[in-house]
Amino acid sequence: MFGVYAPGEDVGKMTYFALHALQHRGQESAGIAVADGHTLTVTKQLGLVAQAFKAHDLASFEGHIAIGHTRYSTTGSSTSWENAQPMISAVGHNTIALAHNGNLVNTAELRDELKGNGVRFRSTTDSEVLASLVDHFTPEHHSMRAGIRETMKLVRGAYSTVLMSEQALYAFRDPYGIRPLVLGKLDDTGWVVASETCALDLVGAEYVRDVAPGEIVKLSAEGLEAEQAVPPQRASLCIFEFIYFARPDSVLYDCTLYEARQRMGAAIARSAPVEADIVIGVPDSGVPAATGYAQESGIPYGEGLAKNRYVGRTFISPSQTLRQQGIRLKLNPLKHVIGGKRLVVVDDSIVRGNTTRKLVQLLREAGAAEVHMRITSPPVRWPCFYGIDTDSQEQLIASYKSVDEIAAFIGADSLAYLSVEDMVASTGAVAERFCAACFTGEYPVEIPDSVREGKMHLEACGAREDG
Ligand code: SF4
């Protein structure tokens, strides 16, 4: 997700390039909205950024404000054009476009309420609920910022959001700060906001600060105006951003994710050593961790897996069938590197177990003598409700199998996970600044029972409540 306010710059093209830097955050659809002070237009398509925009689209972008989005669905169908973002809607005499990263947990309740007030929905996403609430409150308060503020008082869950009218760009973030959102400056010409710092680097913007949890930042002809719209809660940045989701060259909590991942690899080398001939990483996020493991253990690092860069990330493909195809398409073992060797294979996580099982099989078929899996996160036992599609708990292998049983299922000679403590220590920040609910079951934002029951074992709900 990206936003720019920069008179004199080609903001449409800038957003297009920034979305390339953020492509890893979503691959199902891409969209850009541009405004010139009077008119706001949106172009969006299913598919990757490079497929979604044609040369004539780029040439047609005119204006000084833009937002862009790459979508990865956690609510709503992934194949519907209507669900692609930015969402566009009318607010009084204005038009707004909104792009949202995260997941609301009280969407159903709010939708019912809004439908009762005569609001009609075109999509099935929580992002449209956000837009509808802003539409609802803005005329009443005669101010878009007030409309956003009132919306933030009602919605619960994770939302890092960019919203634009014909005249201004707004960025706002949930009071827990679950998804990242950073603010950057473009020399003297303007401002940008982005999900990750790697997008600032690409457009030549300098990182200024994070958009604070519970804050609204408005960027317009009046410059930057910021307000604490709702009180900040316990900081709960998603720790999965460190482990897997964000790009290694992005910075979160003053820490480059490449370094954090290296430290995770080094930590598991200390906690779960093994005799082996070579350490390999599963591209992409396992690679820095594997170099950390190799340095710490003294076992040489090798490139044992070639990755096809033009296939989407398996974890975020929308269906199991696509995931299975994705695994086959994505990785190919380098037989001359791994043949006859005892391997330490470093990966970031095991979610459902099928990807890792297939990987171990591929490595054995390529001649590996032993396969020792080292995972730089703790077992994923709890579903995410805040924007990472870990699906329901019954699909999470660690929620119903022990570590030994998982090792047997995936066919590894040994398997070890990083501890919660080592994971947090590797980030350089303290546990109190993170959401780590998929490992601990401690959800920072309360999940309504109706939402929780759809994704959790009932006995597990009880277990959590019993502590
Ligand atoms: S539950 Fe897990 S994936 Fe979801 S926000 Fe928390 S740490 Fe991130």
Side-chain angles (χ1 to χ4, degrees):
M1 205 179 60
F2 183 80
V4 51
Y5 181 92
E9 296 282 341
D10 189 343
V11 293
K13 273 212 192 81
M14 189 184 290
T15 303
Y16 173 73
F17 289 124
L19 290 187
H20 279 280
L22 298 169
Q23 181 75 84
H24 61 287
R25 297 190 72 84
Q27 301 166 341
E28 292 164 15
S29 63
I32 294 176
V34 184
D36 60 2
H38 308 287
T39 311
L40 188 157
T41 52
V42 175
T43 307
K44 56 184 182 179
Q45 282 300 337
L46 298 177
L48 300 173
V49 178
Q51 300 161 336
F53 306 100
K54 307 284 173 259
H56 61 83
D57 294 320
L58 298 181
S60 71
F61 291 144
E62 271 183 27
H64 59 281
I65 314 171
I67 64 172
H69 188 262
T70 57
R71 179 154 191 267
Y72 143 54
S73 57
T74 53
T75 66
S77 159
S78 63
T79 52
S80 151
W81 182 87
E82 291 292 356
N83 285 348
Q85 295 191 29
M87 293 276 158
I88 190 165
S89 49
V91 178
H93 298 301
N94 288 39
T95 307
I96 63 163
L98 176 144
H100 162 220
N101 178 213
N103 198 37
L104 302 183
V105 297
N106 62 339
T107 311
E109 191 186 306
L110 292 170
R111 273 177 78 93
D112 288 349
E113 218 173 295
L114 285 167
K115 275 187 186 163
N117 287 338
V119 175
R120 284 172 48 198
F121 290 93
R122 280 166 298 160
S123 79
T124 51
T125 66
D126 52 354
S127 311
E128 191 181 6
V129 170
L130 270 173
S132 299
L133 285 169
V134 175
D135 295 355
H136 182 74
F137 286 118
T138 296
E140 197 177 314
H141 293 264
H142 307 291
S143 142
M144 189 82 70
R145 208 162 91 189
I148 296 171
R149 190 189 310 126
E150 294 307 307
T151 299
M152 290 172 76
K153 289 179 188 167
L154 285 184
V155 295
R156 294 202 303 278
Y159 54 94
S160 281
T161 313
V162 287
L163 181 153
M164 62 187 277
S165 65
E166 292 93 339
Q167 293 88 24
L169 170 67
Y170 301 83
F172 54 100
R173 194 171 176 208
D174 69 74
Y176 295 82
I178 296 174
R179 295 277 144 236
L181 189 60
V182 295
L183 174 70
K185 182 108 180 67
L186 282 165
D187 293 329
D188 295 328
T189 57
W191 298 91
V192 299
V193 283
S195 293
E196 291 183 35
T197 61
C198 64
L200 304 189
D201 297 340
L202 190 136
V203 301
E206 196 183 320
Y207 170 79
V208 176
R209 64 178 178 83
D210 287 5
V211 174
E215 185 183 37
I216 304 173
V217 172
K218 179 184 177 190
L219 303 159
S220 68
E222 278 78 52
L224 182 149
E225 298 163 72
E227 75 168 82
Q228 189 68 48
V230 289
Q233 303 296 318
R234 175 196 178 280
S236 304
L237 180 62
C238 169
I239 205 159
F240 234 111
E241 296 276 353
F242 276 79
I243 296 161
Y244 168 82
F245 207 61
R247 240 170 64 158
D249 51 334
S250 286
V251 177
L252 289 170
Y253 284 165
D254 296 325
C255 177
T256 304
L257 299 194
Y258 190 93
E259 280 176 82
R261 288 172 191 165
Q262 269 195 322
R263 289 198 289 255
M264 289 172 185
I268 200 165
R270 289 191 293 275
S271 63
V274 62
E275 276 193 25
D277 303 310
I278 188 168
V279 182
I280 68 169
V282 180
D284 290 307
S285 34
V287 170
T291 63
Y293 191 107
Q295 277 164 17
E296 186 68 24
S297 65
I299 302 170
Y301 169 77
E303 298 245 351
L305 288 164
K307 184 185 172 187
N308 180 345
R309 311 232 158 255
Y310 304 98
V311 179
R313 299 172 104 185
T314 56
F315 180 61
I316 62 176
S317 294
S319 77
Q320 186 63 23
T321 324
L322 286 178
R323 277 182 206 113
Q324 293 289 10
Q325 288 169 347
I327 297 156
R328 286 172 192 281
L329 285 166
K330 196 171 91 162
L331 295 171
N332 201 18
L334 294 166
K335 290 185 184 158
H336 73 283
V337 177
I338 64 178
K341 303 268 175 48
R342 296 170 300 171
L343 307 181
V344 173
V345 182
V346 183
D347 201 357
D348 51 68
S349 56
I350 298 179
V351 179
R352 300 166 186 89
N354 297 324
T355 310
T356 314
R357 182 186 168 114
K358 180 73 195 156
L359 173 70
V360 173
Q361 204 181 320
L362 281 178
L363 292 168
R364 291 212 191 274
E365 283 165 10
E370 293 175 17
V371 179
H372 301 276
M373 290 300 306
R374 294 294 178 267
I375 305 300
T376 56
S377 66
V380 178
R381 296 202 167 99
W382 306 86
C384 178
F385 297 93
Y386 309 136
I388 299 274
D389 185 18
T390 48
D391 247 329
S392 62
Q393 196 172 25
E394 64 200 10
Q395 288 170 299
L396 306 176
I397 192 167
S399 76
Y400 60 90
K401 282 190 193 289
S402 68
V403 174
D404 286 347
E405 286 169 342
I406 299 170
F409 174 79
I410 62 176
D413 294 282
S414 75
L415 165 68
Y417 288 91
L418 195 64
S419 68
V420 172
E421 294 72 25
D422 283 346
M423 168 181 71
V424 171
S426 302
T427 67
V430 291
E432 288 67 36
R433 297 185 73 188
F434 290 108
C435 172
C438 44
F439 310 115
T440 63
E442 291 162 20
Y443 292 96
V445 182
E446 198 192 330
I447 315 294
D449 284 348
S450 55
V451 177
R452 176 190 290 233
E453 278 162 17
K455 270 190 151 186
M456 277 196 190
H457 303 318
L458 286 179
E459 64 273 24
C461 299
R464 194 193 83 92
E465 279 156 11
D466 294 338

